[in-house]
Amino acid sequence: MTVTKDESGQEDADDQGDRSADAPQGAPDDGYTPSARRLERERYRRARARRATAIAALSTLVTAAVLYLVVVGAPGWPRTKETFFNGQYAREALPKVLEGLWLNVRLLVVCGAAVLVLGMLIAIARTLRGPVFFPLRALAAAYTDFFRGLPLIINLMIVVLGVPALRLQGVTVDPVLLGGTALTLTYSAYVAEVFRAGIESVHPSQRAAARSLGLTNRQALRHVVLPQAVRRQVPPLLNDLVSLQKDTGLVSIGGAIDAVRAADIIVGRSLNYTPYIVAGLVFVALTIPMTRFTDWVTARMDRQRAQGGSI
């Protein structure tokens, strides 16, 4: 590497070396040798990263040790351990809880699909333009306001316990179907607002450009507005699905044998609460992958926005 000698020659050589080091791997070798300043900076960064990792690990260990000592040193810990962390009841409950969890997973899949479809229809109804669509907009707004304000547990009780009391011909009394219906009604209201926020976040010029190209309002909504709206709202939609996965355990109030109800049966027979802990840990294990996937999608979309890429 040849460098012109002047009073700032050393700085120019270092800067040129820094830029060359950033070249992609596999590029032709031009005889570059990293500068001493570059090597020193890289050593400093590695040392700082190691120090930060060591501090984080140490602080985590100290926190865990303190919590362990506080819990184990509590006066009622022996009784609590026997009541909530009994290995015998945990081994007995795990197979039955996993068997009941299959019902929760099926409810998540079916209700999740129904919620996305119904939520999209409600959101579209709320964004329709023109006075002729006012009744649809009013009904959609009333639906979202009512079911977002109504506690889910009350909605479940009304649907699961109230519908069978009507004795309607041809209407199911299956607690699983009724519980899934209640979940769909409540979560559709939340998802509808997520979709509506995405639709309204699309600039009006996008719709105007589509109309100028000859697309109808329906075609502009389907091919231009909705694809952008859905992509922008993927993280909050995934968060709602994570919440739905946890709330599928509430269908047990109607007698459906899911993971929570399976644990409740063992607790009622043994008067030991360890099965509840097992059921809770199973739900956590099911939720964590979905949560991490949501975080990954959110971070990826944030990087794309920062780089000016497509979202």
Side-chain angles (χ1 to χ4, degrees):
M1 179 178 64
T2 304
V3 180
T4 304
K5 297 295 183 178
D6 57 15
E7 60 183 6
S8 61
Q10 185 60 40
E11 293 294 330
D12 293 338
D14 288 344
D15 292 343
Q16 185 174 354
D18 292 348
R19 289 193 298 270
S20 300
D22 294 333
Q25 293 185 356
D29 186 9
D30 56 357
Y32 163 72
T33 301
S35 65
R37 189 179 66 175
R38 172 83 177 187
L39 295 175
E40 180 63 25
R41 184 160 57 241
E42 291 178 350
R43 284 194 296 269
Y44 171 75
R45 289 174 178 171
R46 288 194 296 268
R48 186 173 60 179
R50 289 193 297 267
R51 183 169 60 252
T53 301
I55 293 174
L58 180 61
S59 63
T60 302
L61 290 175
V62 171
T63 302
V66 170
L67 290 176
Y68 174 80
L69 293 175
V70 169
V71 172
V72 174
W77 169 246
R79 180 60 178 170
T80 301
K81 180 181 179 182
E82 178 64 25
T83 305
F84 289 91
F85 302 99
N86 188 293
Q88 175 185 350
Y89 290 111
R91 288 188 296 269
E92 177 186 350
L94 183 59
K96 294 180 172 58
V97 168
L98 291 177
E99 183 179 352
L101 185 68
W102 175 234
L103 174 60
N104 298 104
V105 173
R106 285 181 291 169
L107 277 172
L108 172 63
V109 174
V110 175
C111 293
V115 162
L116 291 176
V117 173
L118 183 57
M120 175 65 75
L121 294 176
I122 296 171
I124 293 175
R126 291 203 65 181
T127 56
L128 290 175
R129 301 179 179 181
V132 69
F133 295 115
F134 174 77
L136 280 179
R137 293 197 300 269
L139 287 174
Y143 178 94
T144 55
D145 290 344
F146 179 78
F147 282 104
R148 290 176 71 195
L150 183 68
L152 176 58
I153 189 68
I154 295 179
N155 186 18
L156 280 163
M157 290 180 177
I158 292 173
V159 175
V160 174
L161 305 178
V163 171
L166 295 175
R167 298 182 181 180
L168 298 174
Q169 294 295 328
V171 177
T172 182
V173 295
D174 187 345
V176 176
L177 295 178
L178 293 176
T181 301
L183 290 172
T184 301
L185 290 174
T186 295
Y187 273 90
S188 294
Y190 289 97
V191 170
E193 288 300 283
V194 173
F195 279 131
R196 186 171 72 94
I199 292 173
E200 293 182 348
S201 69
V202 178
H203 198 275
S205 62
Q206 297 287 316
R207 192 188 297 263
R211 296 283 290 135
S212 68
L213 294 174
L215 275 67
T216 64
N217 280 324
R218 180 182 300 179
Q219 291 172 332
L221 180 66
R222 176 183 175 185
H223 298 290
V224 177
V225 177
L226 287 183
Q228 297 182 65
V230 172
R231 283 199 301 270
R232 294 178 181 182
Q233 299 304 102
V234 167
L237 287 174
L238 290 175
N239 282 327
D240 283 335
L241 290 180
V242 170
S243 298
L244 175 62
Q245 183 269 318
K246 295 181 296 182
D247 286 340
T248 55
L250 294 176
V251 299
S252 61
I253 66 172
I257 309 298
D258 70 328
V260 177
R261 182 60 178 168
D264 188 57
I265 292 173
I266 300 175
V267 170
R269 184 179 68 247
S270 64
L271 298 180
N272 187 282
Y273 297 106
T274 302
Y276 286 148
I277 302 298
V278 174
L281 292 177
V282 167
F283 273 102
V284 169
L286 185 63
T287 302
I288 286 177
M290 297 179 63
T291 305
R292 296 285 75 81
F293 177 71
T294 301
D295 293 342
W296 177 81
V297 171
T298 303
R300 180 173 178 270
M301 296 183 70
D302 289 342
R303 289 195 300 269
Q304 290 178 337
R305 290 191 185 97
Q307 295 170 3
S310 173
I311 57 174

